[in-house]
Amino acid sequence: MQKSECHGVVQLRNRKAGSCDQRTSSSMQIKHRTTVQQSNSSSSNSSPETARKVHPRPSDKLNPKTINPFGEQSRAPSAFAAIYSKGGIPCRLVHGSVKHKLQWECPPENLPFDPLLITLAEGLRETKHPYTFVSKEGFRELLLVQGALEKAVPLLPRLIPVLKAALVHMDDEVFARGLNALVQLSVVVGPSLNDHLKHLLTSGSLIIIKSKIPTYCSICC
């Protein structure tokens, strides 16, 4: 009888010891998994991509919102981007260490303004590099060539709606490019622009201006 009791006690102790060993083993496995997960998380946080975000490159300031040609695009390219990619704009961006410039395939004065000037004006609504620079600088340089007046005036009825689209854009940088382009155009065409100014005013603009300046009278009325 005593031997049976002793044998039962020994079995009970063995079961308790085995249960304790299993809990210890499970605890060690959990700790090991936690350590591996923390190690993987630390590795991902120290990746080159993360380092670039924490420490931006100097070129990031020179080329804001640069397009990644190898990345997936969330939407189809714009008309200007498509034309530029197919070589429809006869100039290319030359990257410089301080600033960029355009390299034309032929002298700009030999290029027809129709439809190139209108295409560049449409590109003013772009928000990504290099399209923002190409459209802005291309529009400016094209208006500087000899004979720009004679080439630009016939295009005013088509240019004004495009510039207006830039002026009412939600992006402040797009608005600034549209305004600068309008100033550059006015310098070239002079009084020829007067008949088209009324088309640049959004609906209600005259009412707002008159409420602030009662004596105001538009020359386009």
Side-chain angles (χ1 to χ4, degrees):
M1 186 69 180
Q2 290 179 353
K3 291 182 179 180
S4 177
E5 291 177 352
C6 290
H7 181 69
V9 171
V10 171
Q11 288 182 339
L12 180 60
R13 288 178 178 175
N14 288 339
R15 285 198 297 271
K16 290 183 176 179
S19 177
C20 181
D21 291 341
Q22 290 178 354
R23 288 196 299 269
T24 302
S25 176
S26 299
S27 177
M28 293 178 64
Q29 291 178 357
I30 292 173
K31 289 182 179 179
H32 177 70
R33 287 197 298 267
T34 302
T35 303
V36 171
Q37 291 174 352
Q38 291 177 346
S39 176
N40 292 337
S41 176
S42 176
S43 299
S44 63
N45 290 336
S46 59
S47 64
E49 184 65 25
T50 303
R52 284 195 294 269
K53 291 181 180 179
V54 176
H55 301 289
R57 298 167 296 182
S59 60
D60 291 339
K61 295 182 179 180
L62 189 60
N63 302 329
K65 302 179 182 178
T66 302
I67 283 184
N68 177 11
F70 304 105
E72 294 184 1
Q73 301 299 320
S74 59
R75 59 181 180 180
S78 64
F80 181 84
I83 293 173
Y84 181 78
S85 300
K86 294 177 181 178
I89 310 297
C91 64
R92 281 295 176 266
L93 175 64
V94 178
H95 290 86
S97 57
V98 179
K99 65 178 183 178
H100 305 322
K101 65 178 182 179
L102 292 181
Q103 180 177 348
W104 294 89
E105 296 176 1
C106 63
E109 54 269 19
N110 296 338
L111 294 171
F113 276 29
D114 188 6
L116 181 56
L117 188 64
I118 297 173
T119 303
L120 291 169
E122 291 174 343
L124 296 173
R125 300 198 302 275
E126 295 290 335
T127 57
K128 293 184 181 298
H129 185 81
Y131 311 130
T132 52
F133 181 83
V134 172
S135 59
K136 175 185 67 175
E137 187 64 16
F139 189 89
R140 186 188 71 86
E141 292 186 12
L142 208 58
L143 287 177
L144 292 177
V145 303
Q146 186 175 2
L149 171 63
E150 293 77 11
K151 294 180 178 181
V153 169
L155 301 179
L156 288 178
R158 296 157 60 193
L159 270 175
I160 296 304
V162 176
L163 292 178
K164 180 179 179 179
L167 292 174
V168 298
H169 201 279
M170 297 298 294
D171 191 295
D172 291 341
E173 293 181 359
V174 173
F175 168 79
R177 286 193 293 271
L179 185 60
N180 289 333
L182 180 60
V183 172
Q184 295 159 6
L185 181 65
S186 67
V187 171
V188 173
V189 302
S192 298
L193 188 62
N194 292 343
D195 292 338
H196 304 275
L197 289 178
K198 58 185 176 183
H199 300 296
L200 290 171
L201 294 175
T202 58
S203 58
S205 297
L206 184 59
I207 298 175
I208 297 174
I209 295 174
K210 290 283 288 185
S211 67
K212 302 295 182 180
I213 310 174
T215 57
Y216 173 82
C217 180
S218 174
I219 60 174
C220 303
C221 295

